[in-house]
């Protein structure tokens, strides 16, 4: 659990980009209550909540503040937001798996309640009354006799209180904010056009870059001729980076014109002939036979042999790109032995670690600023865009924004794997569904986490890649699911709900077919999904 | 952006073509962020990630300037070419109707 249990009494407000421009008396500025990584209360009455998850439209910059405001007993409007960054005291800033609320519910409640209890104890001590006679409400502590003190008047002394590890949490019956509706915190900025996404990042004297990227998977640069590119107006530099040739210019447009003029000779490698159509044929061929069994109930597929009637169908699902509306981008500045990254990332800690590794510096020398995300869907769980930006910025004495065009995005991201599905249902003489087989053929690779040859033969590993197949919610006496691995030289990675969408598409389409086939076949009975239900990217 | 009262795509307009014309971006739509479409968008909590919303808001504003009393079909048509990867379309339609003074269900 992320809890920074130190109290800070600092000579000035620490780390406060948001407080610049505020003029405070020296005494007011001298104290803050920082009971944990999430909260900072200062004597000027400001309450700052550090948001430890990335906002990509799921509303986490509204929902988490609702939780903390509830337990801290303040109005939601009193809570200012600051985006957390790697190194600021959080254990985990990653945003994926649709789990932010599930993961942070207890932690953020506890963070808010701990601060509240410290403020209440401080007020009780100042009044010389029993803590139990005091209560917190709307940013004030109230005594039983009607006296009250604002949190701002208490934070200095509260900082000397011990941080309660298990403060009492509000019962749900007392909720005023949680369970209700709140206006989205970023809503006004969005409709005014002032919300800042990664592509909106502007730094003094910055440059813009695009990469000439490989024409086929795994291709490498053999040689390139930058003369024509460098002659394009606004183009300032052109050099090789790990994933292509960078064109750096004074504007994105100039960089794009430079890239058009650039001449690159590629060593296309063995995958130049890869085609989605031929791959689809291999997938369909692979489901002609059962793969490695990932679940078997009852007699499994053997029950099909004794069925009075059968129905079969094959489904094919293509490679899918994320296509987030905000084009992929990242901005980097490398100087003074360190690096700053501005990025719409779902995984700021991985960005810090791998950028540091690439630059050969300590992680502490890399500062990651997470912007708003114009969609994530798992694409921004990757860190390739930040590595590109750092590689370019390392060669240029300016901050550089590396921009991906939509074409770059669709060709050079990582993809949800294409798959084929063969489903076979068996019915008894009464039209009841008694046997169910679902074969999946696909590529369970993960660009972010390489898969070993052993894993590709391991039924348990393949079962873990079979969401939507082996967790079918339909009750059938005999079930067999299997996975046939078909290799593809295509980068595969988490894409919204990861393995589930193609599998569920096939499964539910098949149920539709079974329903349409009646009589004599009846659709299988439905039941709620079990605990191994779907997780999304 | 608005070119006069017409919604156009800024990335498709060159500076040469823009000479002498008047453009309004989402930032310039109103001083207080409370124009009819902006207010309706907030009332209906349309935005998810929000990245596409400027285009939708300006498209509906453009229609309302040219057709003060549009039909639902005209409002839907104004949103036709806009892609929202998050899927905010049902709320965007409601907000467009609210901005146009039309109530009713999605």
């Amino acid at each position: 659990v992320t809890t920074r249990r130190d109290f800070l009494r600092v000579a000035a407000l620490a780390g406060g980009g948001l407080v610049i421009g505020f003029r405070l008396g020296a005494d007011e500025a001298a104290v803050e209550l920082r009971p944990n990584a999430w909260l900072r209360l200062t004597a000027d009455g400001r309450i700052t909540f550090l948001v430890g998850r990335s906002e990509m439209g799921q509303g986490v910059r509204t929902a988490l503040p609702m939780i903390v405001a509830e337990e801290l007993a303040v109005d939601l409007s009193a809570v200012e937001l600051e985006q957390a960054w790697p190194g600021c005291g959080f254990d985990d800033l990653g945003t994926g798996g649709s789990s932010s609320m599930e993961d942070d519910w207890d932690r953020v409640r506890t963070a808010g309640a701990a601060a509240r209890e410290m403020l209440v104890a401080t007020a009780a001590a100042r009044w010389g009354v029993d803590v139990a006679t005091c209560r917190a409400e709307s940013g004030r502590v109230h005594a039983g006799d009607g006296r009250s003190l604002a949190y701002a008047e208490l934070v200095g002394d509260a900082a000397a209180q011990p941080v309660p590890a298990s403060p009492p949490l509000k019962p749900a019956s007392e909720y005023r904010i949680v369970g209700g509706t709140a206006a989205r915190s970023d809503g006004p900025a969005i409709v005014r056009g002032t919300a800042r996404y990664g592509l909106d990042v502007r730094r003094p004297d910055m440059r813009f870059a695009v990469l000439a990227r490989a024409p086929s998977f795994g291709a490498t640069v053999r040689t390139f001729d930058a003369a024509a590119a460098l002659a394009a107006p606004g183009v300032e530099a052109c050099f090789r980076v790990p994933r292509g040739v960078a064109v750096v210019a004074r504007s994105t447009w100039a960089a794009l014109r430079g890239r058009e003029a650039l001449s690159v000779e590629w060593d296309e490698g063995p995958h130049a002939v890869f085609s989605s159509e031929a791959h689809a044929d291999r997938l369909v061929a692979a489901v002609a036979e059962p793969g490695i069994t990932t679940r078997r109930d009852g007699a499994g597929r053997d029950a099909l042999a004794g069925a009075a009637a059968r129905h079969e169908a094959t489904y094919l699902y293509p490679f899918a790109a994320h296509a987030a509306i905000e084009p992929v981008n990242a901005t980097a500045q490398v100087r003074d032995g360190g690096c700053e990254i501005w990025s719409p990332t779902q995984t700021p800690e991985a960005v810090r670690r791998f950028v540091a590794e690439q630059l050969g510096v300590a992680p502490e020398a890399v500062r990651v600023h997470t912007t708003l995300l114009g969609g994530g869907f798992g694409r921004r769980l990757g860190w390739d865009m930040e590595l590109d930006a750092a590689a370019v910025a390392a060669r240029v004495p300016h901050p550089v924004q590396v921009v991906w065009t939509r074409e770059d995005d669709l060709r050079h991201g990582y993809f949800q794997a294409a798959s084929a599905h063969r489903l076979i249902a068996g019915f008894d003489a009464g039209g009841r569904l008694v046997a169910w087989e679902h074969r999946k053929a696909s590529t369970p690779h993960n660009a972010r986490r390489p898969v070993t040859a052993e894993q590709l033969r391991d039924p348990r590993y393949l079962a873990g890649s079979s969401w939507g197949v082996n967790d079918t919610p339909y009750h059938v006496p005999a079930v067999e699911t299997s996975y046939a691995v078909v290799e593809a030289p295509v980068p595969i990675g988490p894409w919204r709900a990861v393995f589930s969408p193609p599998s569920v598409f096939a499964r539910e389409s098949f149920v539709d077919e079974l329903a349409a086939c009646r009589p004599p076949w009846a659709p299988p009975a439905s039941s709620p999904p079990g605990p191994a239900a779907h997780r999304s990217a | 952006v608005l070119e006069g009262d017409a919604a156009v795509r800024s990335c498709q307009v060159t500076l040469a073509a823009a000479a002498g014309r008047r453009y309004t971006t989402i930032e310039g739509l109103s001083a207080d962020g409370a124009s009819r479409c902006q207010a309706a968008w907030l009332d209906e909590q349309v935005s998810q990630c929000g990245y596409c919303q400027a285009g939708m808001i300006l498209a509906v504003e453009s229609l309302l300037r040219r057709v003060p009393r549009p039909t639902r079909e005209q409002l839907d048509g104004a949103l036709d070419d806009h892609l929202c990867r998050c899927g905010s379309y049902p709320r965007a339609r409601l907000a467009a109707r609210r901005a146009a003074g039309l109530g009713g269900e999605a």
Side-chain angles (χ1 to χ4, degrees), chain A residues 14-88:
Chain A
L18 287 174
V19 302
I20 290 168
F22 246 74
R23 292 199 63 81
L24 302 171
D27 292 338
E28 287 181 331
V31 288
E32 66 172 19
L33 170 59
R34 186 93 207 256
N36 46 58
W38 285 275
L39 277 172
R40 183 170 68 228
L41 286 79
T42 47
D44 57 343
R46 308 185 78 178
I47 299 168
T48 304
F49 177 72
L50 277 84
V51 182
R53 303 291 175 186
S54 299
E55 178 65 76
M56 60 199 89
Q58 83 279 40
V60 77
R61 278 169 57 88
T62 306
L64 291 177
M66 288 171 75
I67 298 171
V68 88
E70 183 72 68
E71 288 292 347
L72 191 54
V74 298
D75 294 338
L76 182 57
S77 60
V79 179
E80 297 179 34
L81 304 184
E82 187 174 332
Q83 194 68 31
W85 63 94
C88 79

Side-chain angles (χ1 to χ4, degrees), chain A residues 56-57 182-184 187 190-193 197 199 322-323 325-326 377, chain B residues 26-27 32-33 38 41-42 45 47-51 53 57 83 85:
Chain A
M56 60 199 89
R184 286 284 298 279
I190 288 170
V191 303
R192 287 174 164 90
Y197 303 87
L199 210 59
H322 299 81
I325 292 283
E326 181 191 2
F377 317 114
Chain B
I26 188 71
E27 293 90 340
D32 56 2
Q38 289 166 312
W41 246 252
L42 289 178
Q45 297 251 50
S47 304
Q48 285 186 232
C49 86
Y51 199 83
Q53 302 290 317
I57 289 169
L83 292 178
R85 185 72 173 75

Side-chain angles (χ1 to χ4, degrees), chain B residues 36 40 64 68-70 75 94-104:
Chain B
R36 53 191 166 185
L64 293 178
R69 298 178 59 82
L75 288 164
L94 287 176
R97 289 170 193 176
R98 180 188 283 261
L102 300 173

Side-chain angles (χ1 to χ4, degrees), chain A residues 366-388:
Chain A
V366 177
R367 175 68 151 85
V368 179
H369 306 267
T370 303
T371 66
L372 294 176
L373 284 65
F377 317 114
R379 176 65 184 95
R380 292 179 160 120
L381 285 169
W383 48 83
D384 47 320
M385 52 289 247
E386 292 88 357
L387 292 184
D388 282 351

